[in-house]
């Protein structure tokens, strides 16, 4: 027979006892951590752990931009980018930047030969 243990419910004071400065919690600013372990201990979402890793090594430019957008809210973005630069990662999205042959590049070019003429947008 298994026993179910329920955590105690927190006691909430009546609203008449809450001071004006306690009514609204302070705005929490996103923090940057130096390791994934620190962020995971606090239960913060790490995009490269929550999504399929293949997303961060995509072939199409649209998929690469999607992967870069996922890194925007990552709490270890700066540490990830610094580590990738130190290791000269050969390719993929690291810290919100695209690496190709160990160098950060702005955009992924589509496959195939470039057009000979400019395309009107």
């Amino acid at each position: 027979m298994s026993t179910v243990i329920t955590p105690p419910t927190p006691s909430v004071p009546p609203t008449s006892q809450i001071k004006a400065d306690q009514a609204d919690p302070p705005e929490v600013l996103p923090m940057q951590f130096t390791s994934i372990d620190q962020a995971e201990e606090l239960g913060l979402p790490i995009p490269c752990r929550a999504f399929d890793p293949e997303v961060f090594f995509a072939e199409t430019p649209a998929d690469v931009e999607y992967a870069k957008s996922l890194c925007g809210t990552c709490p270890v973005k700066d540490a990830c980018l610094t580590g990738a630069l130190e290791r000269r990662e050969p390719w993929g999205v690291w810290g919100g930047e695209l690496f190709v042959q160990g160098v950060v590049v702005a955009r992924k070019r589509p496959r195939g030969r470039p057009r000979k003429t400019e395309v009107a947008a």
Side-chain angles (χ1 to χ4, degrees):
M1 179 178 195
S2 64
T3 305
V4 177
I5 300 173
T6 57
T9 56
S11 61
V12 179
T15 53
S16 61
Q17 293 179 358
I18 297 176
K19 296 178 183 176
D21 60 339
Q22 294 176 339
D24 294 323
E27 182 178 329
V28 178
L29 299 175
M31 297 176 61
Q32 291 294 316
F33 294 94
T34 57
S35 76
I36 290 178
D37 296 332
Q38 290 174 332
E40 284 183 334
E41 284 175 10
L42 294 174
L44 298 174
I46 309 293
C48 60
R49 299 276 174 105
F51 291 88
D52 182 13
E54 293 296 318
V55 170
F56 300 93
F57 299 95
E59 290 292 326
T60 64
D63 290 342
V64 168
E65 291 303 315
Y66 173 67
K68 288 168 63 174
S69 72
L70 292 175
C71 294
T73 60
C74 183
V76 292
K77 178 179 174 182
D78 294 338
C80 179
L81 179 59
T82 301
L85 288 169
E86 289 172 359
R87 294 186 305 270
R88 293 188 49 87
E89 285 292 341
W91 66 294
V93 175
W94 298 88
E97 298 293 336
L98 174 64
F99 282 74
V100 175
Q101 297 179 352
V103 179
V104 175
V105 295
R107 301 231 185 281
K108 175 136 179 125
R109 293 179 63 184
R111 293 184 57 156
R113 295 180 59 167
R115 296 177 184 262
K116 291 183 179 182
T117 59
E118 193 78 20
V119 176

